[in-house]
Structure formats: C-alpha cells, structure tokens
Amino acid sequence: MQGVFYTIAFLLALAMFVVLVAQYKTRISIFYFLLYVSVVISNFGYMQLAYSKDITSAVFANQIVYLGGSFVPFFMLMCIADLCKIKVWPVYQIFMLIYSGFIFTLVSTVGATDLYYTDVRLVIENGISRIEKSYGPLHVMYPIYLVTSGVVATAFIIYSFRRRKEVSYITSTSLLIFMLITNFAYVFEKIFSMKIEIIPFSLLISLGGTLFLLRRISMYEVKAISANSMVDSLSYGFFICDSNGKYLGSDEAAKFWFPEIRELPVDRVIKYEGTEFLQQVGKWIKKEDVRDVVYIEVGNNIYEARHSIIRECRHHNIHSVYLRDETKQQQYNKLVQQFNEELELDVERKTENIKHIQNDILMSMASIVENRDSNTGGHIARTSDIVLIFVDHLQSYRRFSELTDHMAKSIVKAAPLHDFGKIAIPDIVLNKPGKFDEDDYKVMKQHTVKGATIVAQILRSSDDEKFREIAINVAHYHHERWDGTGYPEGLKGEEIPFEARVMALADVFDALVSKRVYKESFGYDKAFEIIESSCGTHFDPELCKSFLECRLELEALYDSYVD
C-alpha cells in the first residue's frame, strides 16, 4: 500500500509540472520550473526506493532522492526572493548551488566513505523497501541547509513587508509556509524515526500550493502584462486590481501620473476616497460606471483611462486600467471640435437660408398655379394653415405612431403643393363657371397625376428624400377616399398614404366653408356636420375624429381671415 502512495506522489508531481509548463511557459521565473523538476526527480527516487529488491538499487534510488531534494530548498528560496523583488547576489547563488551539489556528492559516496552515512541497511516490510541509515559527521550539513534556507526566506519576507509595498504579503507568506512544511516534515521524520517517508507528500503539498499561488503570482507581473498588451511603454501606464478592491500592481508611468498610487500597499483594499483616479477605479469595481473609457484631468494634463477585465476567476475578476497621456491629443481635438462647431453653425445657417429660398420658390410657384384658378382664391394659404393646426393637434396626443417630428414638418411644408397639377389643366376647364360636366370632371381629375409628376421633377435634387416622397403623395392622392371611391387610383383605407389622408380633410373643409362660383360658403355647423357624416366613407375615421376636435381653432382661424 505504501508503494502505491509513493507512486501516486510521483505521478501527481509530474502532472503538476506538465500543468506548469502548459499554463505559464516563460511568464514566470526559471526557478519555479527548476523547483518542480527537482520535486519530480525526488519523488521518483522515493518511488524507486520503495520497490528496490537489493541494497545496491536502494542506494541508487536514495541518490536520486537527493539529486532532486538537495536543490529544493535553494530553488524555493530563489522563488521567494523573486517574489519579494530581492536580487540575490550571484556569489551567494553560486555558493548555494555548490553547497547543494556537495551534499548530493556526499550521498553518492555511500560505501566508499563514512562522511555522510557510516552504514546503510535495506529493510523490506510487506514488499516495500526502505533504508535504515547510520549518519556520519557531515550529515549535519543537510539540516543546517534547511534551517538556513528557512531563516533567510523569512528575512526576505520581513524585509519586503517593511520596505517594498509592491510585494504581496499573502503570496510570499504562503510560499514560505510551503517551504517550512517540507523542513518540518524532515525534522518530524528524524525525531520519530518513522517507517514511512512523509517528505514526498510534504513536497507534493508544497508543489500543489505553489501551483495555486502561481495564478496569483502572475497577476503581479505588471511588466509582462504591459509588454504583451502595449508596445510603446513610454506612452502608456497600467494599474491592476481585483474585484474585491485589492491593489495588485502598476508601472512607473501610472505612479508618475498619479502619485497617490505609490502609497498603495499590494494586496490591501483600496480606499477610493480622495483623488479622481481612485474614485473612478472604485466606480468600475462596484459597476457604478459602465463606460470603458474616461478622461481624467490632473492640472493641465488629460489622461485616458481604459478599463477592461484581463482575467476572469471563479470568485473574482482581475481588473486592468490602461492609462495614456492624451493632453496633446485632447488639446488638438478641442481645436478641431471648435472649428467643426463653427463650420457646422455656418453650414446650418447657409442650409436654412437655402431651405427658406426653396420654400419661397415653392410658395411662389403655388401662388402662380392658384392665380390661374379663379374659383379658389386663397385656397393654398388656408389649407396650409389648416394642416398646421391639424398636425400639431395630432402630435400633441401622439395618437399616430407614424407621425414623427420630421414627418409632421414635411406634411405642413408639402401642403401648398397639393394642387400643383392644376397648372397643366386647360383654362377652359379650370376657370369654367358653374359645375363641371362629366367630361370636364375627367380632365380636372388629371391634376392629381400631373401634380405628382411636376412635384417629383421639381424636388428631384432634394437632399430630403422623405419630404420628396410625402410631397408627391400629397399631390397624387389627396382626392382618394377611405371607401375606395376616390381618384386617381381608387385606393382604399390605409392603402392611402397617411399624409394624403390628412390633406384630404383640410382640402374638403376649406372647400365647404369657402365661397365658390358654383356655391355659397357653408356655415361652421353645416361644414362640420358634413365632415362628421363622411367619417369612414370619405375620410379616415380616426383622423376624422381628431379633425373634429380642432373645431374651435379652425373657427378662430377662419374668423381671423374675415377680420
């Protein structure tokens, strides 16, 4: 059963090394990889020792154990130094490597010297082998090595706590604990002379814990993240924290632009009060601001802060803020914006002048057309006023979703063009006194088709395509009837364009209350009675109902004409 445990310990160590290589590659220090290799080799030695059948193979397996185990404390110490951002002197590194190699060399001299072991014996119990050893004078070198490494690692962490705010106290302390677990396991074995080696399992715990910590350790590699994210390090700054509000790191550019960052300890919750930058970070963390980019002013400088989530974890996310000095660009943008605003105002003024000129031309043409018709004096102006009142009323109640602000203005603007086609009607018909006969009526009905053609030609170069369409429809279909008995195409119901249905009511109402050569004007009561009786036959019933609601305003309009 013990052999199975050793085998599992080796396979797990090997699997963790594969995960390390696959996940991190060159993103972490080389000492992490050497640490994992050393543990894999050491655990392989323990597995081989458990299955050894003679003293020679057992001694060789023990040498494999030390081939990895002799270097584990050194590599663990170097990982802690790297995490604490402490540069270990090359001379000390060389000394430690020589020391570790010397211990392995002593182990390799078993049988030739009594310096490390004076005697070794193979013991096999339940099919599992182990070595009982008698220690020589230099065996004390390994315990000294373990104790010294632990003391130095502890000193590194204490120093970093006091002098280096950018060091994560959680991660570095955790790594020290994993190192001490292995040291205590060794001491525990020696004190209690255990028959089963627990060091492989302590190494496995350290390896698994380190692998877990590496995910967090990689968060602090601000330079690596910066290099992968932005090429121009002189133009950008970086600030990183997690969704719990803990500060994880930043580069020198960020600290230079926002000095308050220098006072933030790594792995401590950020206090968002005070500076605008930290307040903005707090809004992003708390999801109070959905914008990805904001601009922060510091004195005369302007910085772009771009927020993103660079890593999603199960319990919390890693937030990154990319910073860029936008002072010159923003100053340039302001000048361009100011120029564009002035240009837009100038264009708007000129466009409005052109529109006024166009409207004046259209109204003049409409007046010319109306002057040919001696029977409908003032009809264009009056129907235009009616349409304005009617459309305003429709908009105030918002009964018709298709009536947008632009459409309402376009209908009012198109109203004077509804009888443009009369310019193509012969004078003998257009100015005939009395009622039209059937032949006259056929000719007169052509003004709708001809009007649509003329309007289309006049507005062919218009930039407002929607107005052009509305104006054509008003001229073409304002004599269509809701029940399908109108002209020129006999459209029915909502087949008739909305704007033409509006125009029809204004056109008929003016005809009713105005004097013509073939009739006297009707009073308001009679006119509105006729309009009401035609709801659902001549007129759109809903529009007709709304038109009747405008009675007071329409009466006031026509009374003003008399005045």
Side-chain angles (χ1 to χ4, degrees), residues 448-477:
T448 56
V449 178
K450 295 180 183 296
T453 302
I454 294 171
V455 170
Q457 285 295 318
I458 293 173
L459 300 178
R460 66 182 181 277
S461 299
S462 174
D463 293 333
D464 193 340
E465 186 62 32
K466 186 63 177 177
F467 167 67
R468 182 173 182 270
E469 178 186 346
I470 288 173
I472 292 172
N473 287 339
V474 166
H476 200 177
Y477 301 114

Side-chain angles (χ1 to χ4, degrees), residues 4 64 132 150 161 184 191 209 217 241 274 298 310 343 376 410 415 421:
V4 174
I64 295 176
E132 290 186 351
F161 282 179
F184 289 146
I191 293 176
I217 291 171
C241 60
V298 180
I310 60 175
L343 183 60
T376 57
S410 296

Side-chain angles (χ1 to χ4, degrees), residues 290-418:
V290 298
R291 296 174 297 170
D292 292 330
V293 180
V294 298
Y295 292 92
I296 300 174
E297 294 190 24
V298 180
N300 296 324
N301 296 325
I302 301 174
Y303 301 100
E304 178 189 87
R306 185 178 298 271
H307 169 254
S308 64
I309 297 176
I310 60 175
R311 182 173 300 165
E312 295 186 2
C313 303
R314 178 176 299 180
H315 300 295
H316 64 280
N317 298 328
I318 305 304
H319 296 259
S320 175
V321 181
Y322 297 131
L323 301 166
R324 182 169 63 181
D325 190 342
E326 284 284 288
T327 304
K328 293 183 179 179
Q329 184 64 38
Q330 288 299 313
Q331 290 173 346
Y332 171 77
N333 290 345
K334 286 181 179 180
L335 290 174
V336 172
Q337 183 179 2
Q338 182 179 355
F339 174 78
N340 288 338
E341 289 175 354
E342 292 176 356
L343 183 60
E344 287 176 3
L345 289 174
D346 189 42
V347 171
E348 286 178 4
R349 286 193 295 267
K350 292 181 178 179
T351 301
E352 286 300 316
N353 289 335
I354 292 172
K355 288 181 179 179
H356 286 310
I357 292 172
Q358 289 175 339
N359 291 339
D360 290 343
I361 291 173
L362 292 175
M363 288 299 296
S364 297
M365 293 179 66
S367 298
I368 292 172
V369 173
E370 187 174 54
N371 288 335
R372 291 189 64 243
D373 186 356
S374 60
N375 293 323
T376 57
H379 176 68
I380 289 176
R382 293 193 299 273
T383 52
S384 297
D385 290 340
I386 294 171
V387 169
L388 178 59
I389 291 172
F390 187 22
V391 169
D392 283 346
H393 179 75
L394 293 176
Q395 278 202 296
S396 66
Y397 285 92
R398 293 292 182 187
R399 292 183 179 178
F400 301 92
S401 59
E402 64 264 48
L403 187 60
T404 63
D405 289 341
H406 180 264
M407 185 177 186
K409 292 178 181 178
S410 296
I411 294 174
V412 173
K413 186 178 176 181
L417 312 182
H418 74 282

Side-chain angles (χ1 to χ4, degrees), residues 98-156:
I98 294 174
Y99 193 96
S100 301
F102 183 68
I103 291 176
F104 171 70
T105 301
L106 289 175
V107 175
S108 300
T109 63
V110 173
T113 69
D114 295 331
L115 295 176
Y116 201 81
Y117 296 133
T118 58
D119 183 43
V120 292
R121 297 172 300 280
L122 179 64
V123 178
I124 301 177
E125 295 180 355
N126 299 322
I128 301 301
S129 301
R130 61 183 176 84
I131 294 179
E132 290 186 351
K133 312 154 192 172
S134 298
Y135 301 111
L138 296 184
H139 182 270
V140 72
M141 291 181 65
Y142 192 73
I144 292 174
Y145 182 31
L146 293 178
V147 172
T148 303
S149 298
V151 171
V152 173
T154 303
F156 283 172

Side-chain angles (χ1 to χ4, degrees), residues 517-556:
V517 295
Y518 56 85
K519 77 168 191 69
E520 294 296 324
S521 61
F522 294 138
Y524 295 137
D525 290 338
K526 179 66 174 178
F528 281 108
E529 181 183 337
I530 293 172
I531 294 290
E532 185 174 8
S533 66
S534 300
C535 290
T537 55
H538 191 157
F539 307 116
D540 178 336
E542 288 297 319
L543 282 175
C544 185
K545 180 181 177 182
S546 297
F547 187 82
L548 294 172
E549 294 172 355
C550 300
R551 176 168 179 166
L552 293 177
E553 293 175 84
L554 293 175
E555 288 181 2

